[in-house]
Amino acid sequence: MGIELVRIDDRLIHGQIVQGWLKSVSIDRILVVSDEVAADKMQCVLLSMAVPASVKLSIKTIKDAAMEIINNVYENEKTMILLSNPQNIVKLIDYGVKFKSVNIGGMHFVHGKKQLLQNVSVDENDINALMKLISLGIELENRALPHDERNDISLIIKKEAENL
């Protein structure tokens, strides 16, 4: 057991997470990693209301989450890590956390971003962070739900990096 899934999804907890991933992967705990969310009591309350009673929710700063992951706090639970952007994953790695694969589930289009896939839009900061993950040998896979086809998007990210 331990970390079952690391997912970038700027919506954090929503229907795809609750109805798709939690049930399919039998997740015991969601770990939301975000300095901004951890500091926003209202957002913490709203996220806790979206999680089924059978699933534990932890909302941690990047530093606190890194220390807990490194110290195997979640090793006895099937845990899903949710982050809103790739920069936060890089920060976790900078603290010493290691990942083999990251699911990029939703990085939605906003002004200043370029849409690469239906559910993946990026800016230069996103590309730089994703390229760092690629350089560390971390798989970047894209799928909305667990039963969807697993697509390695590293080549798309590398091509976009060449255009910067």
Side-chain angles (χ1 to χ4, degrees):
M1 289 196 287
I3 308 302
E4 292 290 320
L5 178 70
V6 179
R7 180 177 169 100
I8 298 171
D9 195 320
D10 54 21
R11 295 179 293 168
L12 296 172
I13 300 170
H14 55 90
Q16 286 178 344
I17 300 297
V18 174
Q19 294 300 317
W21 290 98
L22 294 184
K23 291 180 179 180
S24 178
V25 186
S26 301
I27 295 296
D28 299 314
R29 177 179 301 274
I30 296 173
L31 172 59
V32 173
V33 180
S34 169
D35 291 345
E36 296 78 20
V37 175
D40 185 336
K41 290 184 190 275
M42 180 58 75
Q43 195 167 0
C44 290
V45 169
L46 292 172
L47 288 174
S48 69
M49 291 171 30
V51 176
S54 61
V55 177
K56 298 171 191 153
L57 173 65
S58 297
I59 301 172
K60 302 288 181 174
T61 64
I62 298 165
K63 182 178 181 180
D64 289 346
M67 295 306 112
E68 290 182 354
I69 294 166
I70 290 167
N71 290 311
N72 298 314
V73 168
Y74 306 106
E75 72 178 19
N76 295 320
E77 299 173 304
K78 290 177 90 175
T79 301
M80 169 191 281
I81 298 176
L82 285 176
L83 307 103
S84 58
N85 61 65
Q87 295 84 350
N88 287 351
I89 294 177
V90 170
K91 290 175 185 174
L92 277 177
I93 290 168
D94 289 344
Y95 279 113
V97 177
K98 298 189 182 337
F99 299 113
K100 292 181 182 177
S101 178
V102 173
N103 169 262
I104 301 176
M107 295 173 62
H108 294 86
F109 181 82
V110 294
H111 182 72
K113 292 201 175 202
K114 178 181 178 184
Q115 187 171 5
L116 298 182
L117 298 168
Q118 181 178 358
N119 60 339
V120 178
S121 297
V122 296
D123 60 19
E124 187 173 343
N125 292 328
D126 297 327
I127 289 294
N128 290 335
L130 292 168
M131 285 300 295
K132 166 107 184 199
L133 300 179
I134 291 169
S135 74
L136 294 171
I138 297 170
E139 174 197 34
L140 301 180
E141 60 102 356
N142 171 256
R143 57 189 163 146
L145 294 165
H147 62 272
D148 292 343
E149 182 179 344
R150 187 180 186 112
N151 295 311
D152 183 337
I153 64 168
S154 297
L155 292 177
I156 295 169
I157 300 301
K158 288 177 185 177
K159 183 177 179 184
E160 189 59 31
E162 292 172 3
N163 295 328
L164 292 179

